[in-house]
Amino acid sequence: MRTQRIDQAAARLGAETRAAVYDGAKIGHEKRTKLLFDHYADPNRLRELAGEIKQHVVENLDTYLPAVEARLVANGVKVHWASTAEAACEAVHAILRARGATKLVKAKTMVSEEIELEGYLRERGIESLETDLGEFIVQLDHDRPSHIIKPIIHKNRRQIAELFERNGLGAYNDEPQVITQRARQFLRHKYLGADAGLTGANFMVAESGRLVVVTNEGNSRFCLAATRCHIALVGIEKILPRDRDLALFLNLLARSGTAQQLSVYNEFILGPRAPGQPDGPEEMHVVFVDNGRTNVLASSCREILRCIRCGACLNVCPVYRQAGGHAYRSVYPGPVGAVLSPLLLGRRFPEKADLPKASSLCGACNEVCPVNIPIPDLLLRLRDRAHTERVPSPGTPPMGAWSILASQPAAWKVALFGGRFLDHFPRSLVPVPALRAWESSRDLPKWRGGEFRRWLKLRRKRPGAGQSSPGITP
Amino acid sequence: MADDREEILSRVRGALAPLKERARMPEYDGGLVLARSRRDAGDPMAEFAVRLRAVNGEVAADAAALAALLRARGWTRGYCDPALWPGLRAHFGPEFRVETAFDRTRVDDFQFGITRGAGAVAETGTIILADATTSSRLGALAPWAHVAVISRRDLLSDLTQAVAALGSDPNVIWCTGPSKTADVEGILIEGVHGPGVQIALFVD
Ligand code: SF4
């Protein structure tokens, strides 16, 4: 079947999974809208402002990056730079090796998935464990997250209960409360036995060097209370100019992502723990990761670097709701992923050039985005790029036959006449595979070809008649 | 990795070089981010209690009420900041076993943890913890119930004030209600890694 790979993935999705993703995404979106509009008279002004601030940061990274580095060093943080995924893995490994660390607990880091850190460390004898409940379940199941902030939106409680049973986390019980309690018990001993804690960063403030990590579960806090070494993997675009900008962004992030006034835990980290504080890291490292971000910066779609990974565009997207996150074959699914994932690949762009086509360009993603990213425009730019670079594209039926018909009136007439037989023709026998594939997930309306011609004929015979055309709405 | 630094920065410079103009930093009034309800907010202490309850947190009226609340739920073994315990112990009966050092090898022995809160935020029902005033990060996190003892004068009105108060403490954390997740079928469950119960106790 010659369809887009994303369509194939969507077609394989089980009904149960599709329903879970659809409902979860829809509820997330509806709560968000209510909260934003209840709380603010003009929430759009906030989104625009946040977008302007991030755009400013993105376009001035050449000054912000050295500035934030200087602040971090002054705060006692060790700064590392990694231009590729491998370099980032190596940097983390080198830090761990220097401490003789063999056990790592992770929280809130999509970059670690992006650079495929777990496998890299495993091969070198280091265990790294996800601590977010959803991510932990994904890791246990050798699965992948399918949503930026709801990683197991595609799983139901029965699947989780079976997974726990298989992994020795207690007899089958699918009560969410029990599942959560079992994870709590298991994971707290993992934190306490770990040598280092790895986090991402939601924001990194240039003027203060403050690293901000936002969670609801408190897992990143546990990493930073139980371990002696904190490593943060930070994408180079995560910067905000000033501390005061945090109020705006934290308000927007919680409302957009999870429809909360404020996330439960907002942690602001300037460096290693205070003298006198018995718990927490004595050593802190920040690894700035490029891994394709400078490609994005150099592209015509640098606006996507404003993204604060709230997940709102996934929840609202009709394609995401139907296809689920795995269909995007990327760490970043949904509308944001459709733009970001192919761009992060740099020269390997064609591998994911189909993703920007997985959109009806309805514009909903732009409307909900807390940093006002014009995602539909960016998708169009990427489609154009795929076209210009002549990336082969399955799934678009060849237009040759159409052009012959359209340019020869006689052939057209015959085709119109023949068209009515389509209503009685079994679709599975359509000889063109691309058409068959297209048809398999869509219903053709009844054939109505030729009505316009009939109307025109009538009108020519009796001028004034046929003012309202039969069945043709302009 | 010094090479990576140079490589990244030069690629950033290269990517930005063609821009004729760079987006400017917009100026804005901090009041813009205050939610509608803030504009006519009343007594901050009452507002804090309402907001904390809205996220399933609780306020204890005084030390005696706190002890009664803990006792009623059968939580008698806990940790307390050594600096706070002398002021509280009179209200706690002999059934309580409270330790003033948090022994991390026995995390499951502590049902509650009492530590000092550096402040609170009325707008959101948030409790602020900072390294300088928290006697143990783990003591405030691992037990099922966390009690933050906060000076009334440290109650802030809104998040813009809370951001302004971040200061130079190496670690500040805002806690807004108990630890929670909705990862399993979107159902809200409290007490994932941190406290399942969050209590605030205000003192003068
Ligand atoms: S693109 Fe916008 S809406 Fe989508 S995750 Fe990023 S910030 Fe959120």
Short mmCIF file of all heavy atoms in Angstrom, two decimals, chain B residues 30-92:
data_model
loop_
_atom_site.label_atom_id
_atom_site.label_comp_id
_atom_site.label_asym_id
_atom_site.label_seq_id
_atom_site.Cartn_x
_atom_site.Cartn_y
_atom_site.Cartn_z
N GLY B 30 3.97 44.08 34.27
CA GLY B 30 3.89 42.82 35.01
C GLY B 30 2.46 42.49 35.45
O GLY B 30 2.11 41.33 35.61
N GLY B 31 1.63 43.53 35.60
CA GLY B 31 0.25 43.33 36.03
C GLY B 31 -0.58 42.53 35.03
O GLY B 31 -1.59 41.93 35.37
N LEU B 32 -0.08 42.50 33.79
CA LEU B 32 -0.79 41.78 32.73
C LEU B 32 -0.99 40.31 33.07
O LEU B 32 -1.98 39.70 32.66
CB LEU B 32 0.05 41.90 31.46
CG LEU B 32 -0.61 41.57 30.14
CD1 LEU B 32 -1.64 42.62 29.80
CD2 LEU B 32 0.44 41.49 29.04
N VAL B 33 -0.05 39.73 33.80
CA VAL B 33 -0.14 38.29 34.05
C VAL B 33 -0.97 37.97 35.28
O VAL B 33 -1.14 36.81 35.64
CB VAL B 33 1.26 37.62 34.19
CG1 VAL B 33 2.08 37.91 32.97
CG2 VAL B 33 1.96 38.08 35.44
N LEU B 34 -1.49 39.01 35.95
CA LEU B 34 -2.35 38.73 37.09
C LEU B 34 -3.70 38.25 36.59
O LEU B 34 -4.31 38.88 35.73
CB LEU B 34 -2.55 39.99 37.94
CG LEU B 34 -1.28 40.52 38.60
CD1 LEU B 34 -1.61 41.72 39.47
CD2 LEU B 34 -0.62 39.44 39.45
N ALA B 35 -4.16 37.14 37.12
CA ALA B 35 -5.45 36.61 36.70
C ALA B 35 -6.55 37.58 37.11
O ALA B 35 -6.40 38.35 38.06
CB ALA B 35 -5.68 35.23 37.30
N ARG B 36 -7.66 37.54 36.40
CA ARG B 36 -8.82 38.39 36.65
C ARG B 36 -9.18 38.51 38.12
O ARG B 36 -9.40 39.58 38.64
CB ARG B 36 -10.01 37.75 35.96
CG ARG B 36 -10.69 38.56 34.92
CD ARG B 36 -12.03 37.93 34.70
NE ARG B 36 -12.05 37.07 33.53
CZ ARG B 36 -12.54 37.45 32.37
NH1 ARG B 36 -12.99 38.68 32.22
NH2 ARG B 36 -12.58 36.63 31.35
N SER B 37 -9.23 37.33 38.80
CA SER B 37 -9.68 37.30 40.19
C SER B 37 -8.80 38.16 41.10
O SER B 37 -9.23 38.64 42.12
CB SER B 37 -9.68 35.86 40.69
OG SER B 37 -8.37 35.33 40.58
N ARG B 38 -7.51 38.34 40.70
CA ARG B 38 -6.59 39.09 41.54
C ARG B 38 -6.99 40.55 41.68
O ARG B 38 -6.70 41.19 42.67
CB ARG B 38 -5.18 39.07 40.94
CG ARG B 38 -4.54 37.74 40.87
CD ARG B 38 -4.33 37.16 42.24
NE ARG B 38 -3.84 38.16 43.17
CZ ARG B 38 -4.19 38.20 44.43
NH1 ARG B 38 -5.06 37.35 44.90
NH2 ARG B 38 -3.68 39.10 45.24
N ARG B 39 -7.60 41.08 40.64
CA ARG B 39 -7.84 42.52 40.61
C ARG B 39 -8.71 42.97 41.79
O ARG B 39 -8.61 44.07 42.27
CB ARG B 39 -8.48 42.92 39.29
CG ARG B 39 -7.74 42.36 38.09
CD ARG B 39 -7.10 43.46 37.26
NE ARG B 39 -6.04 42.91 36.40
CZ ARG B 39 -6.25 42.34 35.22
NH1 ARG B 39 -7.48 42.28 34.73
NH2 ARG B 39 -5.25 41.87 34.52
N ASP B 40 -9.63 42.06 42.24
CA ASP B 40 -10.47 42.47 43.36
C ASP B 40 -10.36 41.48 44.52
O ASP B 40 -11.33 41.14 45.18
CB ASP B 40 -11.93 42.61 42.89
CG ASP B 40 -12.33 41.46 41.99
OD1 ASP B 40 -11.88 40.34 42.25
OD2 ASP B 40 -13.07 41.70 41.04
N ALA B 41 -9.15 40.99 44.71
CA ALA B 41 -8.94 40.01 45.77
C ALA B 41 -9.11 40.66 47.14
O ALA B 41 -8.78 41.83 47.33
CB ALA B 41 -7.55 39.41 45.64
N GLY B 42 -9.61 39.88 48.10
CA GLY B 42 -9.82 40.42 49.44
C GLY B 42 -8.67 40.06 50.37
O GLY B 42 -7.50 40.19 50.00
N ASP B 43 -8.99 39.56 51.55
CA ASP B 43 -8.00 39.20 52.56
C ASP B 43 -7.10 38.08 52.05
O ASP B 43 -7.58 36.99 51.72
CB ASP B 43 -8.76 38.75 53.82
CG ASP B 43 -7.81 38.11 54.81
OD1 ASP B 43 -6.66 38.58 54.89
OD2 ASP B 43 -8.22 37.13 55.47
N PRO B 44 -5.78 38.33 51.97
CA PRO B 44 -4.88 37.33 51.39
C PRO B 44 -4.89 36.01 52.15
O PRO B 44 -4.79 34.94 51.54
CB PRO B 44 -3.50 37.98 51.47
CG PRO B 44 -3.68 39.36 51.96
CD PRO B 44 -5.10 39.56 52.36
N MET B 45 -5.04 36.07 53.46
CA MET B 45 -5.00 34.84 54.25
C MET B 45 -6.21 33.96 53.90
O MET B 45 -6.09 32.74 53.72
CB MET B 45 -4.98 35.17 55.74
CG MET B 45 -4.53 34.04 56.63
SD MET B 45 -2.91 33.34 56.17
CE MET B 45 -1.81 34.51 57.00
N ALA B 46 -7.36 34.60 53.79
CA ALA B 46 -8.57 33.85 53.42
C ALA B 46 -8.44 33.32 52.00
O ALA B 46 -8.80 32.17 51.71
CB ALA B 46 -9.80 34.75 53.52
N GLU B 47 -7.88 34.14 51.11
CA GLU B 47 -7.72 33.71 49.73
C GLU B 47 -6.77 32.51 49.65
O GLU B 47 -7.03 31.54 48.94
CB GLU B 47 -7.19 34.86 48.88
CG GLU B 47 -7.25 34.53 47.40
CD GLU B 47 -6.48 35.50 46.52
OE1 GLU B 47 -5.80 36.40 47.07
OE2 GLU B 47 -6.54 35.34 45.30
N PHE B 48 -5.68 32.59 50.42
CA PHE B 48 -4.73 31.48 50.41
C PHE B 48 -5.42 30.17 50.79
O PHE B 48 -5.26 29.14 50.14
CB PHE B 48 -3.56 31.76 51.36
CG PHE B 48 -2.63 30.60 51.51
CD1 PHE B 48 -1.61 30.39 50.58
CD2 PHE B 48 -2.78 29.67 52.54
CE1 PHE B 48 -0.77 29.29 50.68
CE2 PHE B 48 -1.94 28.56 52.64
CZ PHE B 48 -0.93 28.38 51.71
N ALA B 49 -6.22 30.25 51.86
CA ALA B 49 -6.90 29.03 52.35
C ALA B 49 -7.83 28.47 51.27
O ALA B 49 -7.88 27.26 51.05
CB ALA B 49 -7.67 29.34 53.63
N VAL B 50 -8.55 29.35 50.61
CA VAL B 50 -9.47 28.91 49.55
C VAL B 50 -8.68 28.25 48.41
O VAL B 50 -9.03 27.17 47.93
CB VAL B 50 -10.28 30.11 49.00
CG1 VAL B 50 -11.03 29.71 47.72
CG2 VAL B 50 -11.26 30.60 50.06
N ARG B 51 -7.60 28.90 48.01
CA ARG B 51 -6.82 28.36 46.89
C ARG B 51 -6.15 27.04 47.25
O ARG B 51 -6.09 26.12 46.45
CB ARG B 51 -5.76 29.36 46.41
CG ARG B 51 -6.25 30.68 45.88
CD ARG B 51 -7.33 30.59 44.82
NE ARG B 51 -7.11 29.54 43.84
CZ ARG B 51 -7.99 29.15 42.95
NH1 ARG B 51 -9.18 29.73 42.93
NH2 ARG B 51 -7.72 28.20 42.10
N LEU B 52 -5.63 26.96 48.48
CA LEU B 52 -4.97 25.71 48.89
C LEU B 52 -5.99 24.57 48.94
O LEU B 52 -5.71 23.45 48.50
CB LEU B 52 -4.28 25.88 50.25
CG LEU B 52 -3.52 24.65 50.76
CD1 LEU B 52 -2.47 24.18 49.75
CD2 LEU B 52 -2.83 24.92 52.10
N ARG B 53 -7.17 24.88 49.44
CA ARG B 53 -8.20 23.84 49.48
C ARG B 53 -8.62 23.43 48.07
O ARG B 53 -8.90 22.27 47.81
CB ARG B 53 -9.43 24.33 50.27
CG ARG B 53 -9.52 23.65 51.64
CD ARG B 53 -10.71 24.16 52.43
NE ARG B 53 -10.25 24.97 53.56
CZ ARG B 53 -10.61 26.21 53.80
NH1 ARG B 53 -11.46 26.84 53.00
NH2 ARG B 53 -10.15 26.84 54.85
N ALA B 54 -8.59 24.38 47.16
CA ALA B 54 -8.98 24.07 45.78
C ALA B 54 -8.04 23.05 45.14
O ALA B 54 -8.42 22.34 44.23
CB ALA B 54 -9.01 25.35 44.94
N VAL B 55 -6.80 22.99 45.63
CA VAL B 55 -5.88 21.97 45.11
C VAL B 55 -5.71 20.84 46.13
O VAL B 55 -4.69 20.14 46.16
CB VAL B 55 -4.50 22.56 44.72
CG1 VAL B 55 -4.62 23.41 43.47
CG2 VAL B 55 -3.89 23.36 45.88
N ASN B 56 -6.72 20.67 46.99
CA ASN B 56 -6.75 19.58 47.97
C ASN B 56 -5.68 19.67 49.05
O ASN B 56 -5.24 18.67 49.58
CB ASN B 56 -6.65 18.21 47.29
CG ASN B 56 -7.93 17.88 46.55
OD1 ASN B 56 -8.95 18.54 46.74
ND2 ASN B 56 -7.87 16.85 45.71
N GLY B 57 -5.24 20.89 49.34
CA GLY B 57 -4.36 21.10 50.49
C GLY B 57 -5.19 21.54 51.68
O GLY B 57 -6.40 21.76 51.57
N GLU B 58 -4.56 21.62 52.86
CA GLU B 58 -5.30 21.97 54.07
C GLU B 58 -4.55 23.03 54.86
O GLU B 58 -3.33 23.11 54.80
CB GLU B 58 -5.48 20.72 54.96
CG GLU B 58 -6.26 19.61 54.27
CD GLU B 58 -6.13 18.27 54.99
OE1 GLU B 58 -6.36 18.24 56.21
OE2 GLU B 58 -5.81 17.28 54.31
N VAL B 59 -5.30 23.81 55.64
CA VAL B 59 -4.69 24.78 56.53
C VAL B 59 -5.01 24.35 57.97
O VAL B 59 -6.16 24.06 58.28
CB VAL B 59 -5.25 26.20 56.29
CG1 VAL B 59 -4.61 27.19 57.25
CG2 VAL B 59 -5.00 26.62 54.84
N ALA B 60 -3.98 24.28 58.81
CA ALA B 60 -4.21 24.00 60.23
C ALA B 60 -4.25 25.33 60.97
O ALA B 60 -3.38 26.18 60.77
CB ALA B 60 -3.10 23.11 60.79
N ALA B 61 -5.29 25.53 61.79
CA ALA B 61 -5.48 26.84 62.43
C ALA B 61 -4.34 27.17 63.39
O ALA B 61 -3.86 28.30 63.45
CB ALA B 61 -6.82 26.86 63.17
N ASP B 62 -3.90 26.17 64.16
CA ASP B 62 -2.77 26.38 65.07
C ASP B 62 -2.11 25.04 65.38
O ASP B 62 -2.53 24.00 64.85
CB ASP B 62 -3.23 27.08 66.36
CG ASP B 62 -4.41 26.34 67.00
OD1 ASP B 62 -4.46 25.09 66.89
OD2 ASP B 62 -5.28 27.01 67.60
N ALA B 63 -1.10 25.07 66.25
CA ALA B 63 -0.32 23.86 66.51
C ALA B 63 -1.19 22.75 67.11
O ALA B 63 -1.04 21.57 66.78
CB ALA B 63 0.85 24.18 67.44
N ALA B 64 -2.12 23.13 67.98
CA ALA B 64 -2.98 22.12 68.61
C ALA B 64 -3.87 21.46 67.57
O ALA B 64 -4.06 20.24 67.56
CB ALA B 64 -3.84 22.78 69.70
N ALA B 65 -4.39 22.30 66.64
CA ALA B 65 -5.24 21.75 65.58
C ALA B 65 -4.44 20.83 64.68
O ALA B 65 -4.94 19.80 64.22
CB ALA B 65 -5.85 22.90 64.76
N LEU B 66 -3.18 21.18 64.45
CA LEU B 66 -2.32 20.34 63.63
C LEU B 66 -2.14 18.97 64.28
O LEU B 66 -2.30 17.93 63.64
CB LEU B 66 -0.95 21.02 63.43
CG LEU B 66 0.11 20.14 62.78
CD1 LEU B 66 -0.25 19.85 61.33
CD2 LEU B 66 1.49 20.81 62.86
N ALA B 67 -1.81 18.99 65.57
CA ALA B 67 -1.59 17.72 66.27
C ALA B 67 -2.86 16.87 66.25
O ALA B 67 -2.81 15.65 66.02
CB ALA B 67 -1.16 17.99 67.72
N ALA B 68 -4.00 17.53 66.42
CA ALA B 68 -5.27 16.80 66.42
C ALA B 68 -5.53 16.17 65.05
O ALA B 68 -5.97 15.02 64.94
CB ALA B 68 -6.41 17.75 66.79
N LEU B 69 -5.23 16.95 64.01
CA LEU B 69 -5.45 16.46 62.64
C LEU B 69 -4.58 15.23 62.36
O LEU B 69 -5.05 14.23 61.82
CB LEU B 69 -5.10 17.62 61.70
CG LEU B 69 -5.37 17.55 60.20
CD1 LEU B 69 -5.46 18.97 59.66
CD2 LEU B 69 -4.30 16.81 59.46
N LEU B 70 -3.31 15.30 62.77
CA LEU B 70 -2.40 14.18 62.52
C LEU B 70 -2.85 12.95 63.31
O LEU B 70 -2.89 11.83 62.79
CB LEU B 70 -0.97 14.56 62.90
CG LEU B 70 -0.31 15.68 62.07
CD1 LEU B 70 1.05 16.06 62.64
CD2 LEU B 70 -0.17 15.27 60.60
N ARG B 71 -3.23 13.19 64.55
CA ARG B 71 -3.64 12.09 65.42
C ARG B 71 -4.89 11.41 64.86
O ARG B 71 -4.98 10.19 64.80
CB ARG B 71 -3.91 12.61 66.84
CG ARG B 71 -4.10 11.50 67.87
CD ARG B 71 -4.48 12.06 69.25
NE ARG B 71 -3.53 13.04 69.76
CZ ARG B 71 -3.78 14.34 69.93
NH1 ARG B 71 -4.97 14.84 69.61
NH2 ARG B 71 -2.86 15.15 70.41
N ALA B 72 -5.84 12.24 64.41
CA ALA B 72 -7.11 11.70 63.91
C ALA B 72 -6.89 10.75 62.74
O ALA B 72 -7.66 9.83 62.52
CB ALA B 72 -8.02 12.85 63.49
N ARG B 73 -5.84 10.99 61.95
CA ARG B 73 -5.61 10.12 60.79
C ARG B 73 -4.62 9.00 61.10
O ARG B 73 -4.20 8.27 60.20
CB ARG B 73 -5.08 10.95 59.63
CG ARG B 73 -6.06 12.08 59.34
CD ARG B 73 -6.00 12.59 57.95
NE ARG B 73 -6.79 13.82 57.92
CZ ARG B 73 -6.64 14.77 57.03
NH1 ARG B 73 -5.73 14.65 56.09
NH2 ARG B 73 -7.39 15.84 57.07
N GLY B 74 -4.21 8.94 62.38
CA GLY B 74 -3.32 7.85 62.76
C GLY B 74 -1.87 8.07 62.36
O GLY B 74 -1.09 7.13 62.27
N TRP B 75 -1.52 9.34 62.09
CA TRP B 75 -0.12 9.61 61.73
C TRP B 75 0.61 10.12 62.96
O TRP B 75 0.52 11.29 63.31
CB TRP B 75 -0.06 10.67 60.61
CG TRP B 75 -0.77 10.23 59.36
CD1 TRP B 75 -0.89 8.97 58.88
CD2 TRP B 75 -1.46 11.08 58.43
NE1 TRP B 75 -1.60 8.96 57.71
CE2 TRP B 75 -1.97 10.24 57.40
CE3 TRP B 75 -1.70 12.45 58.35
CZ2 TRP B 75 -2.70 10.74 56.31
CZ3 TRP B 75 -2.42 12.95 57.28
CH2 TRP B 75 -2.91 12.10 56.27
N THR B 76 1.33 9.24 63.60
CA THR B 76 1.97 9.63 64.86
C THR B 76 3.49 9.57 64.78
O THR B 76 4.17 9.98 65.71
CB THR B 76 1.50 8.71 66.00
OG1 THR B 76 1.73 7.34 65.60
CG2 THR B 76 0.03 8.92 66.31
N ARG B 77 4.01 9.03 63.68
CA ARG B 77 5.47 8.97 63.57
C ARG B 77 5.91 9.93 62.48
O ARG B 77 5.42 9.89 61.35
CB ARG B 77 5.92 7.55 63.21
CG ARG B 77 5.78 6.60 64.40
CD ARG B 77 6.08 5.19 64.00
NE ARG B 77 5.27 4.82 62.85
CZ ARG B 77 5.64 3.90 61.96
NH1 ARG B 77 6.81 3.28 62.08
NH2 ARG B 77 4.86 3.60 60.95
N GLY B 78 6.83 10.82 62.87
CA GLY B 78 7.19 11.81 61.88
C GLY B 78 8.54 12.45 62.13
O GLY B 78 9.25 12.13 63.09
N TYR B 79 8.85 13.38 61.24
CA TYR B 79 10.08 14.14 61.32
C TYR B 79 9.70 15.59 61.58
O TYR B 79 8.69 16.07 61.06
CB TYR B 79 10.85 14.03 60.00
CG TYR B 79 11.89 15.12 59.81
CD1 TYR B 79 13.14 15.01 60.43
CD2 TYR B 79 11.60 16.26 59.06
CE1 TYR B 79 14.08 16.03 60.28
CE2 TYR B 79 12.53 17.27 58.91
CZ TYR B 79 13.77 17.15 59.52
OH TYR B 79 14.69 18.16 59.38
N CYS B 80 10.52 16.29 62.37
CA CYS B 80 10.30 17.73 62.54
C CYS B 80 11.64 18.45 62.55
O CYS B 80 12.61 17.98 63.13
CB CYS B 80 9.54 18.00 63.85
SG CYS B 80 9.15 19.75 64.08
N ASP B 81 11.65 19.60 61.88
CA ASP B 81 12.81 20.50 61.90
C ASP B 81 13.21 20.72 63.36
O ASP B 81 12.38 21.13 64.18
CB ASP B 81 12.37 21.81 61.23
CG ASP B 81 13.45 22.89 61.27
OD1 ASP B 81 14.42 22.77 62.06
OD2 ASP B 81 13.30 23.86 60.50
N PRO B 82 14.49 20.45 63.72
CA PRO B 82 14.90 20.59 65.13
C PRO B 82 14.65 21.99 65.68
O PRO B 82 14.41 22.14 66.89
CB PRO B 82 16.40 20.25 65.09
CG PRO B 82 16.80 20.19 63.65
CD PRO B 82 15.56 19.94 62.86
N ALA B 83 14.67 23.00 64.82
CA ALA B 83 14.46 24.36 65.32
C ALA B 83 12.98 24.62 65.63
O ALA B 83 12.64 25.49 66.42
CB ALA B 83 14.96 25.38 64.29
N LEU B 84 12.08 23.87 64.99
CA LEU B 84 10.65 24.09 65.21
C LEU B 84 10.10 23.24 66.36
O LEU B 84 9.11 23.61 67.00
CB LEU B 84 9.86 23.74 63.94
CG LEU B 84 10.00 24.65 62.73
CD1 LEU B 84 9.30 24.03 61.52
CD2 LEU B 84 9.43 26.03 63.03
N TRP B 85 10.72 22.11 66.61
CA TRP B 85 10.14 21.14 67.54
C TRP B 85 9.92 21.68 68.95
O TRP B 85 8.85 21.46 69.54
CB TRP B 85 10.96 19.86 67.53
CG TRP B 85 10.35 18.73 68.31
CD1 TRP B 85 10.95 18.00 69.29
CD2 TRP B 85 9.01 18.23 68.19
NE1 TRP B 85 10.10 17.06 69.78
CE2 TRP B 85 8.89 17.19 69.13
CE3 TRP B 85 7.90 18.56 67.41
CZ2 TRP B 85 7.70 16.45 69.30
CZ3 TRP B 85 6.73 17.83 67.58
CH2 TRP B 85 6.63 16.80 68.51
N PRO B 86 10.89 22.42 69.50
CA PRO B 86 10.65 22.94 70.86
C PRO B 86 9.35 23.75 70.97
O PRO B 86 8.64 23.66 71.97
CB PRO B 86 11.87 23.84 71.13
CG PRO B 86 12.93 23.30 70.24
CD PRO B 86 12.22 22.80 69.02
N GLY B 87 9.01 24.49 69.94
CA GLY B 87 7.78 25.29 69.98
C GLY B 87 6.51 24.47 69.77
O GLY B 87 5.42 24.94 70.06
N LEU B 88 6.65 23.28 69.22
CA LEU B 88 5.47 22.49 68.88
C LEU B 88 5.19 21.35 69.86
O LEU B 88 4.04 20.94 70.05
CB LEU B 88 5.63 21.89 67.47
CG LEU B 88 5.64 22.85 66.28
CD1 LEU B 88 6.01 22.10 65.00
CD2 LEU B 88 4.28 23.54 66.12
N ARG B 89 6.24 20.85 70.49
CA ARG B 89 6.12 19.56 71.19
C ARG B 89 5.07 19.58 72.29
O ARG B 89 4.44 18.55 72.56
CB ARG B 89 7.47 19.09 71.71
CG ARG B 89 7.98 19.86 72.93
CD ARG B 89 9.35 19.39 73.39
NE ARG B 89 9.50 17.95 73.38
CZ ARG B 89 10.65 17.30 73.31
NH1 ARG B 89 11.79 18.01 73.21
NH2 ARG B 89 10.72 16.01 73.36
N ALA B 90 4.85 20.74 72.89
CA ALA B 90 3.86 20.82 73.97
C ALA B 90 2.47 20.40 73.50
O ALA B 90 1.64 19.93 74.29
CB ALA B 90 3.81 22.25 74.53
N HIS B 91 2.21 20.58 72.21
CA HIS B 91 0.87 20.25 71.68
C HIS B 91 0.75 18.79 71.24
O HIS B 91 -0.32 18.33 70.91
CB HIS B 91 0.55 21.16 70.49
CG HIS B 91 0.60 22.60 70.84
ND1 HIS B 91 -0.42 23.27 71.46
CD2 HIS B 91 1.60 23.51 70.70
CE1 HIS B 91 -0.09 24.52 71.67
NE2 HIS B 91 1.14 24.69 71.22
N PHE B 92 1.88 18.12 71.19
CA PHE B 92 1.88 16.74 70.71
C PHE B 92 1.94 15.80 71.92
O PHE B 92 2.84 15.90 72.74
CB PHE B 92 3.07 16.49 69.79
CG PHE B 92 2.90 17.10 68.41
CD1 PHE B 92 2.85 18.48 68.25
CD2 PHE B 92 2.79 16.30 67.28
CE1 PHE B 92 2.69 19.05 66.99
CE2 PHE B 92 2.63 16.86 66.02
CZ PHE B 92 2.58 18.24 65.87
#
